[in-house]
Coordinates of all heavy atoms in Angstrom, one line a residue:
T191 N 46.3 -87.2 114.3 CA 44.9 -87.6 114.0 C 44.9 -88.4 112.8 O 45.8 -88.6 112.1 CB 44.1 -86.3 113.9 OG1 44.3 -85.8 112.6 CG2 44.3 -85.3 114.9
F192 N 43.6 -88.8 112.5 CA 43.4 -89.6 111.2 C 43.2 -88.6 110.0 O 43.2 -89.1 108.9 CB 42.1 -90.4 111.4 CG 40.9 -89.5 111.5 CD1 40.1 -89.2 110.4 CD2 40.4 -89.1 112.7 CE1 39.0 -88.3 110.5 CE2 39.3 -88.2 112.9 CZ 38.6 -87.9 111.7
Q193 N 43.1 -87.3 110.2 CA 42.9 -86.4 109.2 C 44.2 -86.2 108.3 O 45.1 -85.6 108.8 CB 42.4 -85.0 109.7 CG 41.2 -85.1 110.5 CD 40.8 -83.7 111.1 OE1 40.7 -82.7 110.3 NE2 40.5 -83.7 112.3
S194 N 44.1 -86.7 107.1 CA 45.3 -86.6 106.2 C 45.6 -85.1 105.8 O 44.7 -84.3 105.5 CB 45.0 -87.4 104.9 OG 46.0 -87.3 104.1
G195 N 46.8 -84.7 105.9 CA 47.3 -83.4 105.5 C 47.0 -82.3 106.5 O 47.2 -81.1 106.2
L196 N 46.6 -82.7 107.7 CA 46.2 -81.7 108.7 C 47.4 -80.8 109.2 O 47.2 -79.6 109.3 CB 45.5 -82.4 109.9 CG 45.0 -81.4 111.0 CD1 44.0 -80.5 110.4 CD2 44.5 -82.2 112.2
A197 N 48.5 -81.4 109.4 CA 49.7 -80.6 109.8 C 50.0 -79.6 108.8 O 50.3 -78.4 109.1 CB 50.9 -81.6 110.1
A198 N 50.0 -79.9 107.5 CA 50.3 -79.0 106.4 C 49.3 -77.8 106.4 O 49.6 -76.7 106.3 CB 50.4 -79.6 105.1
T199 N 48.0 -78.2 106.6 CA 46.9 -77.2 106.6 C 47.1 -76.2 107.7 O 47.1 -75.0 107.5 CB 45.6 -77.8 106.7 OG1 45.4 -78.7 105.5 CG2 44.4 -76.8 106.7
V200 N 47.3 -76.7 108.9 CA 47.5 -75.8 110.1 C 48.8 -75.0 110.0 O 48.8 -73.8 110.3 CB 47.4 -76.6 111.4 CG1 47.8 -75.8 112.6 CG2 46.0 -77.2 111.5
S201 N 49.8 -75.6 109.5 CA 51.1 -75.0 109.3 C 51.0 -73.8 108.4 O 51.5 -72.7 108.6 CB 52.2 -75.9 108.8 OG 53.4 -75.3 108.7
N202 N 50.2 -74.0 107.3 CA 50.0 -72.9 106.3 C 49.2 -71.8 106.9 O 49.5 -70.6 106.6 CB 49.3 -73.4 105.0 CG 50.2 -74.3 104.2 OD1 51.5 -74.2 104.2 ND2 49.7 -75.2 103.4
Q203 N 48.2 -72.1 107.7 CA 47.4 -71.1 108.4 C 48.3 -70.2 109.3 O 48.2 -69.0 109.4 CB 46.3 -71.7 109.2 CG 45.2 -72.3 108.3 CD 44.1 -73.0 109.2 OE1 44.1 -72.9 110.4 NE2 43.3 -73.7 108.5
L204 N 49.2 -70.9 110.1 CA 50.1 -70.2 111.0 C 51.1 -69.3 110.2 O 51.3 -68.2 110.6 CB 50.8 -71.2 111.9 CG 50.0 -71.9 112.9 CD1 50.8 -73.1 113.5 CD2 49.5 -71.0 114.0
A205 N 51.6 -69.9 109.1 CA 52.6 -69.1 108.3 C 51.9 -67.9 107.7 O 52.6 -66.8 107.6 CB 53.1 -70.0 107.2
K206 N 50.7 -67.9 107.3 CA 50.0 -66.8 106.8 C 49.8 -65.7 107.8 O 49.7 -64.5 107.5 CB 48.6 -67.2 106.2 CG 48.6 -67.9 104.9 CD 47.3 -68.2 104.4 CE 47.3 -69.0 103.1 NZ 46.0 -69.5 102.7
Q207 N 49.8 -66.0 109.1 CA 49.8 -65.1 110.1 C 51.1 -64.5 110.5 O 51.2 -63.5 111.2 CB 49.1 -65.7 111.4 CG 47.6 -65.9 111.2 CD 47.0 -66.2 112.5 OE1 47.5 -66.2 113.6 NE2 45.7 -66.6 112.4
G208 N 52.2 -65.1 110.0 CA 53.5 -64.6 110.3 C 54.4 -65.5 111.2 O 55.6 -65.2 111.4
F209 N 53.9 -66.7 111.7 CA 54.7 -67.6 112.4 C 55.7 -68.3 111.5 O 55.4 -68.4 110.3 CB 53.8 -68.7 113.0 CG 53.0 -68.3 114.2 CD1 51.6 -67.9 114.0 CD2 53.5 -68.3 115.5 CE1 50.8 -67.6 115.0 CE2 52.7 -67.9 116.5 CZ 51.4 -67.6 116.3
H210 N 56.8 -68.7 112.0 CA 57.8 -69.5 111.2 C 57.3 -70.9 111.5 O 57.6 -71.5 112.5 CB 59.2 -69.3 111.7 CG 59.8 -68.0 111.3 ND1 60.3 -67.8 110.1 CD2 59.9 -66.9 112.1 CE1 60.7 -66.5 110.1 NE2 60.5 -66.0 111.2
S211 N 56.5 -71.5 110.6 CA 55.8 -72.7 110.8 C 56.3 -73.8 109.7 O 56.4 -73.4 108.6 CB 54.3 -72.5 110.7 OG 53.7 -73.7 111.0
E212 N 56.4 -75.0 110.2 CA 56.8 -76.1 109.3 C 56.0 -77.3 109.7 O 56.0 -77.7 110.8 CB 58.3 -76.4 109.5 CG 58.8 -77.4 108.6 CD 60.3 -77.7 108.8 OE1 61.0 -77.0 109.6 OE2 60.8 -78.6 108.1
A213 N 55.4 -77.9 108.7 CA 54.7 -79.2 108.9 C 55.7 -80.3 109.0 O 56.6 -80.4 108.2 CB 53.7 -79.5 107.8
K214 N 55.5 -81.2 109.9 CA 56.3 -82.4 110.1 C 55.5 -83.6 109.7 O 54.3 -83.6 109.6 CB 56.8 -82.5 111.5 CG 57.7 -81.3 111.9 CD 59.0 -81.3 111.2 CE 59.9 -80.2 111.7 NZ 61.2 -80.3 111.1
A215 N 56.2 -84.8 109.7 CA 55.5 -86.0 109.4 C 54.5 -86.3 110.5 O 54.6 -85.8 111.6 CB 56.5 -87.2 109.3
N216 N 53.6 -87.2 110.3 CA 52.7 -87.6 111.3 C 53.5 -88.2 112.5 O 54.5 -88.7 112.3 CB 51.7 -88.7 110.8 CG 50.6 -88.1 109.9 OD1 50.6 -86.9 109.6 ND2 49.7 -88.9 109.5

Side-chain angles (χ1 to χ4, degrees):
T191 75
F192 67 91
Q193 298 179 51
S194 179
L196 184 60
T199 299
V200 172
S201 180
N202 288 337
Q203 290 175 10
L204 290 168
K206 285 180 184 176
Q207 289 190 7
F209 288 95
H210 289 279
S211 182
E212 180 182 358
K214 298 291 186 177
N216 286 2

